[in-house]
Amino acid sequence: MADRTPTSSQYETTIDRLVGDLRPVRRLPPLSAALGAWVVVMVGVLAVTASMLRPDLASHAGHLRFLGELIGLAVATVLLGALALRSTQPDRTPEPWEQALAATLAVLAIASVASHAAATSVSLGQFVTTGSGCAWGTIGFAIVPVALLLVAVQRGAPVQPRVSGAFATGAGLVLAYLAMRLHCPSDDGAHLMVWHALPVAIGTIGGAVLGGRWLGRWSRRP
Amino acid sequence: MERVQTGDGDAYRALLEDIQPLIRGMLRRWFADAEELADAGQETLLTLHRARHTYDPTRPFERWLGALARHTAADLLRRKMRRLRLEVGVDMVPDLPIEPATGGPSELERAIGALPAAQRDAFEMVKVDGLSFEQAAARSGTTVGALKVRAHRAYKSIKAALAR
């Protein structure tokens, strides 16, 4: 039973309008199903990468650091995707501590990339020529997963659209970074930082901006 | 809520009536003023309506509703802060040049005339006639939230037209 206050007539008008406007809706898929679909997308991207693996992959596969990096990237991709998908439901929005943890891991990842030794014998021309291809490669690998995640998030009701946008684009771009580590034979720290990690960072910031504009539209519909 | 998702109007009406005290209780933390509280309550109902497809029946309803109420409150407070900043910014209104009397409509009148009817009515009631959002909403038979949106869109269109 609703309590009667001076404002109850306003409520009644609003309720009448909302009931009149009610249509059946299709519920969001369960989070586990959405996450399963995201893992399928990940496998798809890595399957595409399998046809263009770096020639020295077999020798690198024995290095603990390289293996740890790949596993860390794969785990980060799943986690970021899960956080993005969770944010479609208002009551499952990533908590501040989860956001802080994601930011901390990102800083650690950048520090890890920066710790690779930089090649000293590469000219600036070479650096740019070989590197720009990797930046485009990162973008190419990321386009489909980022678009799919953004569309999935947009179907929900993200209450922190910037955060959702950052997680969705971040997940796709980290996946692309992983694919590029399997494809690009360079382990030069400067190359990895500028042409692999920087597009991920810039893209994630861009995703936050885009998210603020596009993913928050659901709450402004008249 | 599960029945609401299938389009059951009776269940929806019962739910919306039942949750009013709950919503008010949730929003009281942010809004002490009765009018603001009522406004926020209505906005929360609108938010619930827009987000009803995101409710997962396996999870507690109160938590979902609480997240929507928090989001609505944050959104309203943000808008209020922005409005207050703008009001401070135009505290000292500069003298505007008077348009020459040519007999034709002024730029402002033309911009208002070019608006869709619903937006024009909302703008005129609030900005010209000086009605409150509640009075204007009651007069046009819509909700406060919808009227605010119309008035805001009208304002943006006029601003864009005058800037050209």
Side-chain angles (χ1 to χ4, degrees), chain A residues 135-146:
Chain A
W136 286 115
T138 303
I139 293 166
F141 277 123
I143 283 178
V144 172
V146 167

Side-chain angles (χ1 to χ4, degrees), chain B residues 16-131:
Chain B
L16 294 178
E17 286 177 354
D18 280 349
I19 61 175
Q20 284 177 46
L22 187 61
I23 290 176
R24 266 200 290 276
M26 289 169 173
L27 293 170
R28 208 160 271 142
R29 193 189 313 173
W30 295 287
F31 302 99
D33 179 73
E35 203 172 317
E36 281 186 338
L37 183 64
D39 210 21
Q42 291 199 72
E43 286 287 340
T44 305
L45 294 187
L46 293 178
T47 308
L48 179 150
H49 187 73
R50 292 177 194 124
R52 65 191 188 279
H53 65 294
T54 66
Y55 173 66
D56 177 355
T58 62
R59 291 175 61 78
F61 174 74
E62 284 79 6
R63 206 169 154 190
W64 180 76
L65 183 63
L68 292 178
R70 247 191 330 273
H71 167 66
T72 307
D75 202 33
L76 286 175
L77 290 172
R78 211 168 22 241
R79 273 190 264 164
K80 187 180 170 184
M81 291 304 291
R82 204 178 301 148
R83 206 167 52 238
L84 285 175
R85 272 203 301 271
L86 284 175
E87 280 172 9
V88 170
V90 294
D91 217 16
M92 295 288 288
V93 182
D95 288 337
L96 294 173
I98 298 166
E99 284 189 24
T102 57
S106 69
E107 271 186 57
L108 178 61
E109 284 168 335
R110 272 197 298 275
I112 293 174
L115 294 170
Q119 287 182 21
R120 185 171 58 242
D121 290 347
F123 182 82
E124 287 181 343
M125 280 191 283
V126 175
K127 301 288 180 188
V128 181
D129 301 339
L131 297 185

Side-chain angles (χ1 to χ4, degrees), chain A residues 1-5 7-8 10-28 30-31 88-92 95 154-161 218-222, chain B residues 2 4-9 12-13 16-18 20-21 23-24 34 37-38 41-42 45-47 49-57 59-60 63-64 67-68 71 75 134 142-143 146 149 153:
Chain A
M1 182 72 188
D3 67 341
R4 297 280 151 189
T5 69
T7 59
S8 60
Q10 292 172 10
Y11 271 108
E12 277 160 20
T13 312
T14 305
I15 289 171
D16 285 342
R17 191 192 139 218
L18 294 181
V19 171
D21 191 43
L22 183 67
R23 302 281 177 277
V25 285
R26 206 171 67 175
R27 210 179 284 152
L28 290 176
L31 195 61
T88 56
Q89 294 176 340
D91 55 335
R92 281 186 163 169
E95 301 290 339
Q154 190 266 342
R155 284 194 57 219
V159 293
Q160 293 184 328
W218 69 272
S219 67
R220 295 192 289 269
R221 276 182 217 132
Chain B
E2 251 182 294
V4 172
Q5 289 176 324
T6 63
D8 184 336
Y12 197 27
R13 183 178 295 280
L16 294 178
E17 286 177 354
D18 280 349
Q20 284 177 46
I23 290 176
R24 266 200 290 276
L37 183 64
Q42 291 199 72
L45 294 187
L46 293 178
T47 308
H49 187 73
R50 292 177 194 124
R52 65 191 188 279
H53 65 294
T54 66
Y55 173 66
D56 177 355
R59 291 175 61 78
R63 206 169 154 190
W64 180 76
L68 292 178
H71 167 66
D75 202 33
E134 287 74 17
T142 186
T143 63
V149 170
R153 287 184 178 163

